[in-house]
Amino acid sequence: MNEFELIRSYFQQPSFPTRADVILGIGDDAALCRVPPQMELAVSVDTLVAGVHFPLDSAPEDIGYKALAVNLSDLAAMAAQPAWFTLALTLPSVDTDWLHGFSMGLSALASDSGIALIGGDTTRGPLSISIQVMGWVAAGQGLRRSGACPGDDIYVTGTLGDAGLGLHSLQQPLMLSAAGLAYVRARLHRPTPRLAWGQALRGVAHSAIDISDGLAADLGHILTQSSCGAELYLDHLPLSPALHHLPKSHAWTLALGAGDDYELCFTLPHAVQPSFPCTRVGTITAQPTLRCLDSQGHDWHPPTGYRHF
Ligand code: ADP
Ligand code: MG
């Protein structure tokens, strides 16, 4: 199978959605797309390298799904609506079973989110997947990291630390039920980009980011770019039942530091109530430090050895 047969068989096919705003898709030197008037283009790219960003033996369906999910999560954090993506794929060999699975996982999420595959590049080498997503947002309405103000409430969507526990479960046996194990692994392999919630924050949130490296690190980016600090209330951190069973300090460490959750973190002026389910986890402060407070209001620091943030 040559490169062009491969592209036609796995990427230029009906399981991927089509869009009326794609003037010219896969097959030419570049794609041509129409951006609606009064809209700004949001563009982001992320690379997943085998053995670094996912285990070498991950299911190809999960790799395809996650490669797009992590990119859509960036669009969600900008409050952008997904439109198009490109795929740069480096493959060690042409493995048709792998390509079929990868294409199925990728097209499943592409269909769910209405994003069209408009081009890419295919090369030989160690397995790596780069996806560039493009979406749009009304001019001036893109959510940034830089708008947080002292007094803002800090919110997160979903639950935190699940993907981190899922990763641990691949490395060592854990005391988890079969259902708990399946849940944390699904959270690791198939993160849910929070697109609708991100778009609901347009014109409302002061700042937003998606949580890819753990709440402490990613909230830290909001704080740096907004020149402020925060207090986090550890007892408010949203934890799934799988994490509730852990000792508190272990659960907090995962929730704050493990990453790969792809939930949103955002700040709202205190008077504004969010319009979708999410959890208030803290407050933005003028004092430019990040403090983690327990239920007694005492500062808490993650145990040494766990300190990846
Ligand atoms: P060029 O040589 O002009 O860069 P290529 O031969 O690399 O073009 O690719 C041919 C067409 O197939 C282009 O339209 C390109 O965007 C598309 N393409 C290549 N690889 C992929 C892929 N992995 N997924 C989707 N489209 C791809
Ligand atoms: Mg060309």
Side-chain angles (χ1 to χ4, degrees):
M1 181 180 297
N2 70 31
E3 183 190 337
F4 304 105
E5 286 163 347
L6 184 158
I7 295 162
R8 213 174 312 117
S9 305
Y10 298 104
F11 301 115
Q12 200 174 14
Q13 37 105 338
S15 59
F16 286 91
T18 54
R19 293 175 59 103
D21 54 15
V22 178
I23 302 158
L24 187 61
I26 294 174
D28 214 306
D29 294 313
L32 298 172
C33 304
R34 193 178 297 115
V35 182
Q38 318 304 324
M39 293 286 178
E40 289 172 0
L41 191 64
V43 182
S44 180
V45 63
D46 259 313
T47 299
L48 300 189
V49 176
V52 179
H53 300 101
F54 58 88
L56 287 164
D57 59 354
S58 298
E61 288 83 355
D62 289 339
I63 299 171
Y65 192 99
K66 185 166 182 174
L68 182 57
V70 303
N71 277 285
L72 289 171
S73 178
D74 285 317
L75 289 183
M78 298 305 289
Q81 188 177 318
W84 316 296
F85 73 106
T86 59
L87 167 67
L89 192 56
T90 303
L91 299 169
S93 62
V94 178
D95 174 341
T96 54
D97 286 342
W98 190 94
L99 276 161
H100 176 74
F102 176 81
S103 155
M104 287 290 112
L106 184 65
S107 61
L109 182 57
S111 300
D112 285 352
S113 42
I115 191 165
L117 178 58
I118 56 167
D121 193 26
T122 308
T123 52
R124 192 182 289 268
L127 179 60
S128 136
I129 302 119
S130 284
I131 287 183
Q132 181 174 54
V133 284
M134 286 149 277
W136 17 273
V137 59
Q141 301 260 287
L143 291 178
R144 303 176 185 213
R145 299 175 174 183
S146 57
C149 302
D152 279 4
D153 288 325
I154 304 167
Y155 289 87
V156 297
T157 60
T159 53
L160 301 180
D162 298 327
L165 193 58
L167 185 62
H168 283 198
S169 83
L170 300 178
Q171 295 156 348
Q172 70 211 58
L174 297 178
M175 298 280 286
L176 276 175
S177 65
L181 195 63
Y183 169 78
V184 295
R185 289 197 179 163
R187 291 276 289 159
L188 174 67
H189 294 309
R190 296 207 168 210
T192 306
R194 303 300 192 183
L195 288 159
W197 292 341
Q199 288 168 46
L201 293 172
R202 258 183 220 159
V204 181
H206 278 166
S207 65
I209 192 167
D210 70 316
I211 307 175
S212 53
D213 295 330
L215 178 61
D218 290 315
L219 175 61
H221 296 309
I222 287 185
L223 302 182
T224 305
Q225 296 200 22
S226 302
S227 305
C228 48
E231 287 180 352
L232 283 179
Y233 314 125
L234 294 165
D235 274 333
H236 293 204
L237 292 174
L239 304 177
S240 68
L243 267 83
H244 265 299
H245 294 301
L246 300 174
K248 269 187 178 174
S249 71
H250 187 185
W252 291 342
T253 302
L254 285 169
L256 291 169
D260 250 10
D261 285 319
Y262 299 99
E263 296 294 342
L264 297 180
C265 171
F266 55 95
T267 75
L268 294 181
H270 184 64
V272 175
Q273 297 302 310
S275 62
F276 53 83
C278 54
T279 307
R280 181 175 169 249
V281 295
T283 308
I284 297 291
T285 58
Q287 158 96 15
T289 54
L290 174 58
R291 296 177 65 191
C292 298
L293 305 176
D294 66 17
S295 56
Q296 266 95 55
H298 296 138
D299 283 286
W300 177 82
H301 300 284
T304 44
Y306 272 125
R307 199 175 295 214
H308 17 236
F309 57 91

